[in-house]
Amino acid sequence: MSRAGGDGTAALERAGADTVKRAVELDLASRFQESLVCYQEGIDLLLQVVKATKDEAKKHRYRQKISEYMTRAEDIKKHIEKEKQDDKYHKQIRIEENATGFSYEKLFLEYLTEIVSEVWVQDPYIRSVHQLYNFLRFCEMLVKGPCTVKTIHLLTSYDEGGGRTQQLSGLEEIQQSLRNYGVTLNIAFSSSIHDREIRFNNGWMIKIGRGLDYFKKPQGRFSIGYCDFDLRPCHETTVDVFHTKHTKKM
């Protein structure tokens, strides 16, 4: 094996070992969904090591380890599936102050399976211009798929200041734009709602402490993070993900 090839294999070994180590740490902390992802990534890396190495003894050791990790990953899959069936699934994500990498795609896409056709959004603060843009970005994500959303239900509250006309105009424009993509947006208002939650008709429910409005104001219109929300600093908040067999309508 060339030196370049050897260096590449060593790098794969380190990456695989680090990823599996993280999987075990998450496993022990009962963060099973995250642990499963790390186990799968680590297994893939170690399989590449097995394929690349010529050392038969090393191949044998890694195959044994991979078999152990695959068994554990399968057990975690079954555990997660049972929790979902028993309506006990709960995953919590803590977004730290000024953290980045938490776009809507990052939070929601793994739950937007192809069968999702109906979405319920309850958020009292879809009022000001930037909050309307947040909701628009969320709708754009739904339109892009991989799901085939046909109906979005929004329950929000009226702007209590002088911005109600702008709020209604913005929501009407979003509604019309979605109609052009074959998506119906139903809008309702309540003066008493406080909780923020998003439900998909495949059983997933996501509760975000700050609703969709967890991004900080960009430093300027031409600053990094203005367009790409993965690069936009966040306010501190908590995201709770649940699964229920029967998604209740709001």
Side-chain angles (χ1 to χ4, degrees):
M1 182 182 295
S2 67
R3 180 179 179 81
D7 290 344
T9 303
L12 282 173
E13 287 185 75
R14 288 193 297 272
D18 289 344
T19 306
V20 168
K21 180 181 178 183
R22 179 62 176 156
V24 173
E25 291 171 351
L26 292 166
D27 194 350
L28 292 172
S30 299
R31 293 165 62 179
F32 298 119
Q33 186 72 39
E34 295 166 271
S35 174
L36 178 60
V37 172
C38 286
Y39 273 123
Q40 290 169 335
E41 291 177 356
I43 288 167
D44 182 62
L45 288 166
L46 294 180
L47 284 170
Q48 292 180 55
V49 173
V50 170
K51 186 176 179 180
T53 187
K54 303 297 184 183
D55 187 328
E56 290 300 324
K58 182 180 286 188
K59 279 179 183 283
H60 179 70
R61 287 198 304 273
Y62 274 122
R63 284 186 180 124
Q64 283 187 315
K65 286 293 182 184
I66 289 168
S67 178
E68 292 173 15
Y69 299 142
M70 289 179 74
T71 298
R72 180 54 188 159
E74 192 59 36
D75 288 344
I76 291 174
K77 274 186 187 179
K78 292 176 182 176
H79 174 75
I80 291 172
E81 190 59 36
K82 186 176 187 305
E83 285 193 323
K84 285 165 61 178
Q85 292 300 319
D86 294 343
D87 285 350
K88 293 179 180 178
Y89 181 90
H90 178 216
K91 171 185 176 182
Q92 187 173 83
I93 302 167
R94 183 77 176 178
I95 300 178
E96 303 292 343
E97 185 76 6
N98 291 316
T100 57
F102 290 98
S103 65
Y104 295 146
E105 286 81 3
K106 177 73 172 180
L107 285 187
F108 297 110
L109 269 185
E110 67 176 291
Y111 309 110
L112 285 171
T113 56
E114 293 180 358
I115 66 170
V116 174
S117 60
E118 196 167 8
V119 177
W120 292 264
V121 179
Q122 177 175 302
D123 191 327
Y125 294 102
I126 309 295
R127 302 179 183 177
S128 63
V129 172
H130 80 276
Q131 292 165 346
L132 289 166
Y133 273 123
N134 287 342
F135 180 64
L136 175 60
R137 284 179 179 268
F138 177 78
C139 291
E140 287 175 335
M141 176 191 66
L142 297 177
V143 168
K144 286 193 296 185
C147 53
T148 53
V149 171
K150 295 299 181 184
T151 309
I152 301 170
H153 305 274
L154 171 65
L155 178 61
T156 188
S157 58
Y158 284 115
D159 190 302
E160 297 173 352
R164 182 176 296 191
T165 300
Q166 179 178 259
Q167 177 193 22
L168 295 177
S169 174
L171 287 172
E172 184 178 335
E173 189 171 342
I174 294 172
Q175 189 177 50
Q176 177 58 51
S177 183
L178 284 167
R179 194 175 294 129
N180 295 335
Y181 285 86
V183 180
T184 300
L185 172 61
N186 298 318
I187 305 168
F189 297 91
S190 170
S191 60
S192 59
I193 63 168
H194 175 73
D195 291 344
R196 302 155 173 87
E197 65 182 52
I198 294 170
R199 292 174 181 265
F200 305 135
N201 67 329
N202 61 353
W204 289 108
M205 177 175 67
I206 296 94
K207 294 189 175 187
I208 308 175
R210 297 182 63 96
L212 292 173
D213 192 13
Y214 59 87
F215 296 104
K216 289 194 169 184
K217 183 179 179 180
Q219 294 180 341
R221 288 184 299 164
F222 301 100
S223 60
I224 297 297
Y226 186 88
C227 297
D228 189 337
F229 274 21
D230 266 323
L231 299 172
R232 180 82 68 88
C234 299
H235 292 287
E236 182 178 341
T237 193
T238 301
V239 182
D240 289 286
V241 182
F242 303 91
H243 188 277
T244 176
K245 285 179 286 187
H246 305 288
T247 304
K248 299 175 182 176
K249 296 185 179 180
M250 295 173 183

